Amino acid sequence: MVISSASIAAAGIGLGSASAQTAATPPAGAAAPTAGQAPGFYRYKIGDIEITAINDGFAMRPLEGFVRNAELADVKKAMAEAFLPDNALPITFTTLVVKTGGKTVLIDTGNGDSGAPTSGRWMANFRAAGFDPAQVDTVLISHFHGDHINGLRLKDGNAVFPKAEIMVPETEWAFWMDDAKMNSAPEGLKGGFQNVRRVFGQVAKDVKQFQPEKELVSGISAVAAPGHTPGHVAFRIASGGKQFLMVSDITNHPALFVRNPAWAAVFDMDAEKARETRVKMLDMVAADRTQVAFYHAPFPATGHILKDGSGFRFVPVQWTPAV
Ligand SMILES: [Zn+2]
């Protein structure tokens, strides 16, 4: 009895329309529909603005070497306290679709077909949520790491959002598009520079660069959040007296870096500046009780921040069927 009602409920989530059914179809080789999850999207509202979180799967990252300035034993302890694996961190990816002022706006794009085999779920989840890539008016980019921009362009060169205006932080563009910086970068970072050219090269003249603190589209403005990358930004969404902050990558997994804001992930390009930004922003949203979203928090990757001892705690929202 319990099993059959659960199956009916699960089927109802994914199979609302023919297109959703196609999008939610499990990959070839999957044993049975019951082996998968419901599509990874989650809607919520900030005032009159509707946000849909879209999941792009995950990538496992070995724990060793991931936190630059903490002992592995301490990192493992933090993982155990969050009931996470003791050898590798599942890093999730969650972009936002924002419906505002009659426009469909994306904040970051996921891995496209360039990520780990356990990622690349974004388009199926986006379509299951009822969206089409051709309806996207604007794509806002927080920073130029591959997991945030590769969804713009597939490996075969095709642009994924044919009609969208692409808006990027001016400082980020200046850094990554600088050939001198690319040529003098350490070997490990050169691929990142080349990838930025792969994604943006063909459309460089159409990409709109923005400065923080200005409204970019109705209700959304960028907030400078440097350190993770030189031009990394958060996005503030305001509507009907409500405030919301997409904090992007001011932290990687909250279980590590919200709990221990002084820790630096290996991806933080300027660890000291990233720490400053992280502490300042977490302090602010904790004091203001602002709802936040993280790119790398467990899905649906939104909740609130509480001060807790020398660090903070991420309190996820409660799932609700009411939007
Ligand atoms: Zn990231």
Side-chain angles (χ1 to χ4, degrees), residues 143 145 147-148 228 249 252 295-296:
H143 67 294
H145 283 160
D147 53 324
H148 298 254
H228 179 64
D249 280 20
N252 197 279
Y295 196 74
H296 297 298

Side-chain angles (χ1 to χ4, degrees), residues 3 13 35 61 98 135 180 204 206 251 254:
I3 290 167
I13 292 164
R61 174 87 195 187
V98 185
Q135 85 184 83
D206 300 321
T251 86

Side-chain angles (χ1 to χ4, degrees), residues 55-299:
N55 177 264
D56 188 34
F58 66 98
M60 292 305 279
R61 174 87 195 187
L63 218 49
E64 192 153 9
F66 186 67
V67 183
R68 286 203 228 160
N69 57 345
E71 296 295 333
L72 186 57
D74 292 332
V75 178
K76 287 190 176 197
K77 190 163 164 256
M79 292 289 282
E81 282 170 3
F83 297 90
L84 289 166
D86 72 351
N87 59 347
L89 178 68
I91 298 179
T92 57
F93 311 96
T94 299
T95 78
L96 302 181
V97 182
V98 185
K99 296 285 268 180
T100 177
K103 303 270 187 200
T104 302
V105 180
L106 295 188
I107 297 181
D108 289 341
T109 66
N111 295 274
D113 56 359
S114 297
T118 46
S119 71
R121 309 299 175 89
W122 190 90
M123 187 57 77
N125 288 327
F126 179 72
R127 287 191 186 279
F131 299 113
D132 186 284
Q135 85 184 83
V136 174
D137 298 293
T138 306
V139 181
L140 304 177
I141 296 290
S142 67
H143 67 294
F144 284 3
H145 283 160
D147 53 324
H148 298 254
I149 61 172
N150 283 339
L152 284 169
R153 190 174 300 282
L154 298 179
K155 281 197 274 196
D156 65 9
N158 278 325
V160 176
F161 308 104
K163 296 181 191 152
E165 176 173 53
I166 299 168
M167 301 180 76
V168 307
E170 185 182 74
T171 310
E172 194 72 354
W173 184 269
F175 176 80
W176 293 98
M177 294 306 265
D178 183 333
D179 286 342
K181 286 209 166 63
M182 176 167 75
N183 296 334
S184 63
E187 266 327 294
L189 205 56
K190 283 207 164 75
F193 281 90
Q194 283 152 3
N195 189 54
V196 167
R197 284 156 178 73
R198 178 191 76 81
V199 170
F200 295 114
Q202 293 175 46
V203 293
K205 65 173 181 4
D206 300 321
V207 171
K208 195 161 169 193
Q209 298 174 43
F210 63 76
Q211 291 172 342
E213 317 307 336
K214 291 196 180 131
E215 190 172 62
L216 305 172
V217 292
S218 175
I220 309 180
S221 49
V223 182
H228 179 64
T229 65
H232 177 263
V233 297
F235 293 99
R236 184 182 300 284
I237 297 180
S239 171
K242 298 255 187 214
Q243 294 270 335
F244 169 90
L245 200 62
M246 170 48 163
V247 297
S248 307
D249 280 20
I250 65 160
T251 86
N252 197 279
H253 200 301
L256 296 182
F257 304 99
V258 169
R259 288 298 295 131
N260 303 278
W263 286 4
V266 68
F267 304 126
D268 287 346
M269 293 173 72
D270 180 337
E272 183 50 29
K273 195 173 267 184
R275 187 193 61 76
E276 254 173 54
T277 294
R278 179 160 50 251
V279 170
K280 192 177 104 188
M281 217 165 248
L282 291 175
D283 254 331
M284 181 182 74
V285 294
D288 298 346
R289 301 179 65 82
T290 304
Q291 186 175 340
V292 293
F294 292 85
Y295 196 74
H296 297 298
F299 195 73

